Amino acid sequence: MARIVMKFGGTSVANLERIRHVAGLVAEEAKDGNEVAVVVSAMSGETNRLVALVDELDADSDKGAAIEDEYDSIVASGEQVTSGLLAIALRRRGLKARSWLGWQIPLRTDMAHSKARIAEIESSAIGPSMKDGNVAVVAGFQGVNETGRISTLGRGGSDTSAVAIAVALKADRCDIYTDVDGIYTTDPRIAKDARRLNRIAFEEMLELASLGAKVLQTRSVELAMNNNLPIRVLTSMAEVGDENPGTLVCHEDETMEERVVSGVAYSRDEAQITLLKLKDAPGMVAKVCRAMSDANVIVDMIVQGISRSDNSANLTFTVGKRDLEKALTALEGSKEEIGFSGIKSDSDVTKVSVVGIGMRSHTGVAQTMFEALADKNINVEVIATSEIKISVLIDSEYTELAVRALHKAFELHQTPAPKVSAP
């Protein structure tokens, strides 16, 4: 007997027929006596509908107090509906089941509405319920803060809910069910020869998730890695009893290191900001970063070009596309303190990255990457690197061309991809 956490995303519970199907998959896990907890997202499109309602009312005026607490209360309702419906579907199959909301567990968070972080999870109620044979159907994405208000974990937060609950319950594994059958070397919609990986290291998945791969949320991978909890990504579209191996996310092993590059990721959610004629002096970049931090804007890629003639520099960096206006407002407000002559911005850019733990011990990856992009006449505007990734910022017009070129250059359609030799 095992203790298993299963998580189903919005497309997996998109309508009643899909919820009935999910109930069958859960019943299959529970029939052998396994203790099962299920974490669910809102039905497909429901969160967007709820957010649109909030945005429409919020646009009426800028007067009055902040609304983030009520925003969370509204958008969290989608998961409440799904958890109740799935509990009913399981009961109609003869299983014992009950739904749990974030505050009932409770899943406690910090005070940051709409992007809260989990502080702790108490399993004193849900654990005994599972031991008594109840399938626990948990509303993902939500928790409760120290004032007792509902909080939400940000888009993709149901993944984090599932992993955190699995850790708290000391589960044997956490299965993340999606509309794809695993983790691919890149987006199959762009590269038709993209290949499903049988296994991928936590570190690689963490980079891919942070760089735009939508299969898993970044915080969920980080939490699983820190607690050595295996995650299996598999499809909810398979029929009960079908072979469904998916992709196992776990600590690296020797077979993984044979792959120099494991995947190509891209993110269209980027915006580029350039500060013109920033004074070339110690502490200037720190002032820019402080202004962004005060505005709660995350700075990603950053590059500085020095002009020796007038002792100034142009500083270019990227932020999330949704944060662009907030970032520009903060910079204009700090213009005198920071000291720059002007600002340029561009939201029509894409970050494209190659990722692989094999990059630690093999040379020539950067050469292969930049030659592949140059062969397609794709200009690189910003570069960022880490031990296992190289990211570039390019014009969004060339996104698909760049992804296909890099996927081909590193021969990711093969098993395994050949090693890159030194120049």
Side-chain angles (χ1 to χ4, degrees):
M1 185 178 71
R3 177 170 280 187
I4 300 166
V5 173
M6 308 169 72
K7 183 265 175 178
F8 294 91
T11 54
S12 300
V13 291
N15 51 48
L16 291 181
E17 194 56 40
R18 295 307 309 164
I19 289 173
R20 292 186 181 100
H21 179 74
V22 165
L25 296 174
V26 174
E28 183 73 8
E29 286 288 359
K31 74 176 185 179
D32 295 327
N34 292 329
E35 295 178 11
V36 180
V38 186
V39 178
V40 292
S41 299
M43 299 167 77
S44 182
E46 181 63 10
T47 300
N48 288 339
R49 185 184 73 84
L50 294 169
V51 170
L53 293 175
V54 175
D55 288 345
E56 185 171 344
L57 273 183
D58 188 32
D60 287 352
S61 171
D62 59 359
K63 298 178 181 178
I67 65 165
E68 285 81 3
D69 55 341
E70 300 301 344
Y71 171 95
D72 278 0
S73 180
I74 293 164
V75 300
S77 65
E79 282 73 15
Q80 179 174 342
V81 171
T82 311
S83 60
L85 289 173
L86 181 55
I88 292 172
L90 289 168
R91 289 184 186 181
R92 291 297 169 261
R93 284 178 168 266
L95 278 73
K96 295 168 63 178
R98 67 151 289 184
S99 62
W100 296 79
L101 303 183
W103 63 267
Q104 293 174 312
I105 295 174
L107 188 154
R108 303 190 187 280
T109 75
D110 62 17
M111 296 293 292
H113 281 291
S114 80
K115 47 187 170 185
R117 298 187 72 88
I118 298 171
E120 64 173 340
I121 296 177
E122 297 177 20
S123 58
S124 55
I126 192 172
S129 177
M130 291 171 63
K131 284 185 178 179
D132 288 341
N134 285 290
V135 175
V137 187
V138 181
F141 177 61
Q142 62 180 253
V144 59
N145 66 28
E146 61 189 45
T147 67
R149 294 303 304 263
I150 291 173
S151 53
T152 62
L153 308 180
R155 285 305 181 97
S158 292
D159 286 350
T160 304
S161 298
V163 173
I165 288 169
V167 170
L169 291 172
K170 296 181 171 58
D172 295 281
R173 71 172 191 269
C174 182
D175 289 346
I176 306 289
Y177 286 81
T178 72
D179 55 357
V180 295
D181 62 346
I183 297 162
Y184 277 71
T185 49
T186 196
D187 188 341
R189 294 169 299 181
I190 292 180
K192 302 301 183 184
D193 56 355
R195 178 173 52 85
R196 180 180 60 81
L197 299 168
N198 293 321
R199 298 161 69 89
I200 188 170
F202 282 125
E203 287 182 85
E204 291 175 313
M205 191 66 244
L206 189 60
E207 289 283 11
L208 288 171
S210 68
L211 295 168
K214 305 297 185 184
V215 180
L216 288 174
Q217 199 226 31
T218 307
R219 281 190 288 166
S220 68
V221 181
E222 183 179 21
L223 188 58
M225 180 172 66
N226 291 340
N227 291 276
N228 195 22
L229 173 72
I231 300 176
R232 206 168 47 136
V233 178
L234 58 169
T235 180
S236 62
M237 304 301 161
E239 296 299 324
V240 174
D242 284 356
E243 185 178 359
N244 191 12
T247 300
L248 182 68
V249 186
C250 56
H251 280 299
E252 66 184 80
D253 58 29
E254 291 181 1
T255 60
M256 295 177 186
E257 292 178 1
E258 293 176 2
R259 305 189 304 251
V260 179
V261 170
S262 292
V264 180
Y266 67 95
S267 172
R268 302 181 193 269
D269 301 325
E270 309 292 323
Q272 176 180 286
I273 297 174
T274 300
L275 301 183
L276 303 173
K277 293 190 174 181
L278 179 71
K279 185 178 179 182
D280 182 21
M284 303 311 294
V285 176
K287 289 183 179 181
V288 174
C289 291
R290 186 182 305 116
M292 294 296 91
S293 177
D294 290 345
N296 203 23
V297 173
I298 296 174
V299 174
D300 185 15
M301 309 170 78
I302 186 166
V303 64
Q304 181 171 320
I306 307 299
S307 172
R308 297 299 180 188
S309 59
D310 58 1
N311 197 35
S312 68
N314 289 341
L315 182 72
T316 299
F317 58 93
T318 62
V319 299
K321 189 174 291 187
R322 292 191 62 173
D323 288 334
L324 177 58
E325 292 305 318
K326 185 164 55 171
L328 293 175
T329 299
L331 289 167
E332 288 288 359
S334 304
K335 184 175 181 179
E336 189 171 323
E337 178 188 355
I338 297 172
F340 56 88
S341 66
I343 303 178
K344 292 196 305 182
S345 65
D346 185 2
S347 59
D348 196 21
V349 292
T350 299
K351 178 169 63 178
V352 180
S353 311
V354 296
V355 175
I357 57 175
M359 292 167 62
R360 292 174 180 153
S361 54
H362 295 86
T363 59
V365 177
Q367 176 192 355
T368 300
M369 181 176 190
F370 295 125
E371 285 181 350
L373 296 174
D375 286 346
K376 300 298 182 181
N377 292 317
I378 299 173
N379 186 49
V380 173
E381 299 184 31
V382 184
I383 303 168
T385 65
S386 77
E387 191 178 26
I388 64 169
K389 73 103 188 286
I390 303 174
S391 297
V392 296
L393 196 70
I394 64 172
D395 190 301
S396 61
E397 177 184 357
Y398 301 104
T399 302
E400 296 188 2
L401 181 63
V403 169
R404 285 193 290 264
L406 294 173
H407 194 265
K408 181 178 180 180
F410 289 103
E411 300 183 11
L412 291 175
H413 59 286
Q414 297 186 5
T415 309
K419 298 177 182 179
V420 178
S421 58

